[in-house]
């Protein structure tokens, strides 16, 4: 079951979160706990623990006497999510530029090479690369509290992106914005890194808005 070393509750949380993000559990859908318990080979307790965490993450909504539902995707949320991400992503990029070790820079250079040599692929491929880069920057920042919050907001953004993905033109250009950002972090240019991270979130917001 799942990844080695994970508790059953953590496995349930990660699996349900991914299914919500990639639309296998679509917005507004009721959560069928019995089916999920059978499919994931889980008991009720770890599933309920995962549900509580996902409710806190705003990916599930629990209604008394009605049940648990996947949260709707609401365009009104896009602005608030983007405002939060602009502040936090800029902070993360700034701290990453200030704190990156040689080992960190090696990982960032690997991300840079992946972007620079990425073939024209699907939007899903671009999204996967985008996530890899963000996660690397978050880890380089070395602030576990901000990192956890950023991961939560990034998940909300990913779900919104998947919600409109069919109507999007190729997004490889959006991912290519990371080239300048990664170089700024590697070079230790904190001001530039923060500015580019903020701009990247704004461009994402505009891309989603224009697709709705």
């Amino acid at each position: 079951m799942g990844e080695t070393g994970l508790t059953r509750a953590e496995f349930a949380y990660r699996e349900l979160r991914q299914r919500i993000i990639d639309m296998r559990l679509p917005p507004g859908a009721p959560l069928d706990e019995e089916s999920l318990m059978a499919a994931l080979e889980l008991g009720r307790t770890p599933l309920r623990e995962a549900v509580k965490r996902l409710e806190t993450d705003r990916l599930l909504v629990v209604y008394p006497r009605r049940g648990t539902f996947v949260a709707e995707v609401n365009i009104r949320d896009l602005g608030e999510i983007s405002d939060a991400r602009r502040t936090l992503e800029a902070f993360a990029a700034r701290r990453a530029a200030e704190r990156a070790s040689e080992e960190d820079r090696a990982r960032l250079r690997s991300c840079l090479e992946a972007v620079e040599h990425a073939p024209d692929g699907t939007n899903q491929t671009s999204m996967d690369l985008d996530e890899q880069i963000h996660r690397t920057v978050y880890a380089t920042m070395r602030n576990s509290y901000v990192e956890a919050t950023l991961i939560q907001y990034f998940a909300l953004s990913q779900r919104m992106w998947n919600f409109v993905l069919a109507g999007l033109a190729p997004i490889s250009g959006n991912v290519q914005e990371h080239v300048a950002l990664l170089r700024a972090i590697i070079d230790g240019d904190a001001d530039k890194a923060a500015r580019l991270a903020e701009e990247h979130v704004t461009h994402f917001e505009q891309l989603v808005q224009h697709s709705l």
Side-chain angles (χ1 to χ4, degrees):
M1 178 203 69
E3 299 174 51
T4 303
L6 292 183
T7 65
R8 287 181 174 270
E10 182 65 26
F11 169 76
Y13 170 73
R14 294 190 187 189
E15 183 63 30
L16 263 64
R17 183 178 66 176
Q18 187 57 43
R19 291 183 182 212
I20 293 168
I21 290 170
D22 65 22
M23 297 289 146
R24 281 179 287 169
L25 292 173
L31 198 71
D32 187 338
E33 292 190 4
E34 297 298 331
S35 294
L36 286 167
M37 286 162 56
L40 301 177
E41 300 180 354
L42 290 167
R44 193 171 301 279
T45 298
L47 189 66
R48 289 285 172 85
E49 289 180 22
V51 166
K52 287 179 182 177
R53 289 179 65 185
L54 290 163
E55 184 183 14
T56 301
D57 290 348
R58 300 190 180 188
L59 290 171
L60 290 176
V61 181
V62 179
Y63 296 104
R65 296 182 296 280
R66 283 185 56 199
T68 302
F69 296 80
V70 179
E72 296 285 358
V73 172
N74 194 322
I75 186 58
R76 291 192 300 272
D77 295 334
L78 177 62
E80 293 183 11
I81 292 169
S82 297
D83 280 346
R85 288 192 64 212
R86 263 187 288 271
T87 299
L88 293 171
E89 293 281 358
F91 176 86
R94 178 181 296 280
R95 284 290 182 265
E98 293 170 345
R99 297 176 176 176
S101 65
E102 283 307 313
E103 188 176 342
D104 293 325
R105 290 190 178 90
R107 283 192 288 267
L108 292 163
R109 289 190 189 97
S110 294
C111 290
L112 181 58
E113 290 175 8
V115 178
E116 290 178 327
H117 299 102
D120 292 333
T122 64
N123 277 351
Q124 185 59 55
T125 301
S126 296
M127 286 179 63
D128 291 343
L129 181 55
D130 183 77
E131 180 177 8
Q132 177 190 344
I133 293 165
H134 280 277
R135 293 284 189 131
T136 303
V137 173
Y138 300 164
T140 304
M141 163 186 57
R142 289 190 179 80
N143 185 317
S144 59
Y145 295 99
V146 177
E147 181 177 6
T149 304
L150 272 167
I151 288 171
Q152 177 186 347
Y153 280 115
F154 189 79
L156 292 169
S157 294
Q158 277 186 309
R159 190 167 82 109
M160 199 163 283
W161 206 339
N162 278 317
F163 185 70
V164 301
L165 197 59
L168 290 179
I171 59 173
S172 55
N174 188 263
V175 178
Q176 286 294 320
E177 292 177 1
H178 287 306
V179 170
L181 172 61
L182 288 167
R183 286 177 177 161
I185 295 173
I186 291 167
D187 292 343
D189 191 337
D191 289 342
K192 184 176 182 180
R195 175 175 57 80
L196 290 171
E198 187 174 332
E199 289 175 358
H200 177 69
V201 175
T202 297
H203 294 162
F204 163 80
E205 180 183 16
Q206 293 169 344
L207 188 64
V208 173
Q209 283 178 334
H210 294 160
S211 300
L212 291 172

